[in-house]
């Protein structure tokens, strides 16, 4: 039998440095064996640690789904566990009221692209400074495996038992086209590039979006003969193509490939910044009507 170690007995100097970003009282995580959510949590914690960010400066917003558990309850930052499909709407409100905070959204494909798809594309269009990490496991994982907007055509799921007849969204391309200023796609196999991309997203000013392809052996993998998370990681290893190599390949060669890397990185006006500038302009133009102490700079 493994002896339980009382956490109070551990020498603080020997404790892993990432513990300070995690809510220890709820560890270990509730994720299934082979789930990619733990890898995303690990990469995000490393990214924050590498950037030496004070966790108090982060507000993490999430919806409903297995991937929504990554920030809430596991991250030791201020978290807002909202309703299914609504994290970007809540995060927009948070960012408008607290523009100095790093506002992060971590949620799933069902949440951000299915029910929440409208919020996603409009937030990208506004280029609001949110850091959105989409955990794309190609399925509604938490609710038992219903078809999602990223489920590939032909796949049999709970709600498409004879095969999915819908084509999936190429979500990173869609978000880039909608106006986001940083967009990348990685998988949970590519942990170091993913971590560096998260650092980039965190420091970039504007709507930053990373599609993270992530295994769900429980609700999706078993449908495609990937019963272990490592089977899916093997697929990511074999099927991923760097974006610069993909540009020299034809559509047949790119069939069933995962194109990884940075799709877009550009500088353009950010929503809350523009809003603030406008507020200053209007308030100062009308200053005569207000007491001096109300003026803002
Ligand atoms: C308004 C509403 N509709 C449906 C649900 C049921 N529901 C909870 S999680 C979920 C899907 C989660 O899928 P995804 O966002 O991809 O997250 P995953 O579990 O795959 O990480 C659904 C449909 C809900 N909670 N609220
Ligand atoms: Mg999902």
């Amino acid at each position: 039998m493994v002896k339980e170690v009382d956490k109070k007995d551990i020498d603080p100097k020997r404790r892993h440095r990432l513990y300070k970003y995690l809510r220890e009282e709820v560890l270990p995580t509730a994720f299934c064996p082979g789930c990619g959510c733990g890898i995303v949590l690990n990469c995000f914690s490393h990214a924050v640690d590498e950037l030496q960010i004070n966790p108090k400066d982060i507000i993490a917003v999430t919806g409903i789904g297995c991937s929504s558990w990554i920030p809430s309850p596991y991250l030791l930052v201020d978290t807002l566990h909202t309703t299914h499909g609504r994290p970007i709407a809540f995060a927009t409100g948070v960012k408008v009221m607290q523009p100095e905070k790093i506002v992060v959204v971590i949620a799933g494909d069902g949440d951000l692209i299915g029910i929440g798809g409208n919020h996603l594309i409009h937030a990208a269009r506004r280029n609001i400074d949110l850091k959105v990490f989409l955990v794309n496991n190609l399925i509604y994982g938490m609710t038992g495996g219903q078809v999602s907007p990223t489920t590939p055509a032909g796949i049999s799921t709970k709600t498409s038992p004879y095969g999915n007849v819908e084509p999936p969204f190429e979500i990173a391309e869609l978000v880039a086209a909608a106006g986001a200023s940083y967009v990348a796609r990685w998988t949970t196999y590519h942990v170091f590039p993913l971590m560096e991309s998260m650092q980039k997203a965190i420091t970039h000013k504007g709507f930053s979006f990373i599609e993270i392809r992530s295994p769900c052996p429980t609700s999706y993998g078993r449908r495609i003969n990937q019963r272990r998370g490592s089977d899916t990681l093997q697929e990511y290893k074999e099927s991923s193509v760097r974006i610069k190599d993909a540009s020299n390949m034809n559509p047949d060669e790119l069939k069933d490939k995962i194109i990884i890397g940075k799709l877009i990185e550009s500088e353009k006006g950010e929503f809350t910044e523009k809003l603030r500038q406008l507020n200053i302009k209007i308030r100062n133009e009308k200053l005569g009507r207000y007491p001096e102490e109300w003026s803002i700079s």
Side-chain angles (χ1 to χ4, degrees), residues 108-110 135 137-141:
D109 44 312
V135 182
N137 55 13
L138 313 179
I139 201 81
Y140 285 13

Side-chain angles (χ1 to χ4, degrees), residues 64-68 84 108-112 115 137 139-143:
I64 304 292
C66 297
S67 40
S68 292
H84 189 47
D109 44 312
D111 196 297
L112 291 176
I115 189 171
N137 55 13
I139 201 81
Y140 285 13
M142 179 179 257
T143 42

Side-chain angles (χ1 to χ4, degrees), residues 46-105:
H46 270 98
V48 171
D49 193 58
E50 288 283 325
L51 291 170
Q52 293 289 295
I53 294 172
N54 183 345
K56 289 199 165 60
D57 293 333
I58 299 175
I59 299 178
V61 187
T62 187
I64 304 292
C66 297
S67 40
S68 292
W69 279 55
I70 297 170
S72 170
Y74 298 118
L75 278 179
L76 189 52
V77 300
D78 282 334
T79 45
L80 209 55
H81 204 141
T82 75
T83 49
H84 189 47
R86 299 295 176 261
I88 290 187
F90 279 85
T92 298
V94 171
K95 185 69 189 180
V96 167
M97 294 313 292
Q98 303 211 45
E100 71 290 355
K101 295 285 183 187
I102 298 164
V103 183
V104 175
V105 172

Side-chain angles (χ1 to χ4, degrees), residues 1-137:
M1 263 239 321
V2 181
K3 192 171 164 276
E4 282 269 329
V5 180
D6 190 332
K7 289 186 188 121
K8 291 197 289 296
D9 294 341
I10 302 174
D11 176 355
K13 288 195 213 98
R14 289 180 50 220
R15 294 175 50 70
H16 196 279
R17 69 187 195 290
L18 294 187
Y19 264 124
K20 59 180 172 288
Y21 307 112
L22 303 173
R23 284 186 207 275
E24 279 184 62
E25 62 276 23
V26 286
L27 293 177
T29 68
F31 302 131
C32 303
C35 171
C37 289
I39 300 177
V40 176
L41 177 65
N42 191 345
C43 287
F44 182 79
S45 310
H46 270 98
V48 171
D49 193 58
E50 288 283 325
L51 291 170
Q52 293 289 295
I53 294 172
N54 183 345
K56 289 199 165 60
D57 293 333
I58 299 175
I59 299 178
V61 187
T62 187
I64 304 292
C66 297
S67 40
S68 292
W69 279 55
I70 297 170
S72 170
Y74 298 118
L75 278 179
L76 189 52
V77 300
D78 282 334
T79 45
L80 209 55
H81 204 141
T82 75
T83 49
H84 189 47
R86 299 295 176 261
I88 290 187
F90 279 85
T92 298
V94 171
K95 185 69 189 180
V96 167
M97 294 313 292
Q98 303 211 45
E100 71 290 355
K101 295 285 183 187
I102 298 164
V103 183
V104 175
V105 172
I106 306 179
D109 44 312
D111 196 297
L112 291 176
I113 318 171
I115 189 171
N118 233 17
H119 298 291
L120 177 65
I121 55 173
H122 288 285
R125 176 175 64 86
R126 293 183 188 116
N127 194 35
I128 182 167
D129 187 18
L130 303 179
K131 291 82 180 61
V132 179
F133 303 127
L134 162 72
V135 182
N136 189 4
N137 55 13

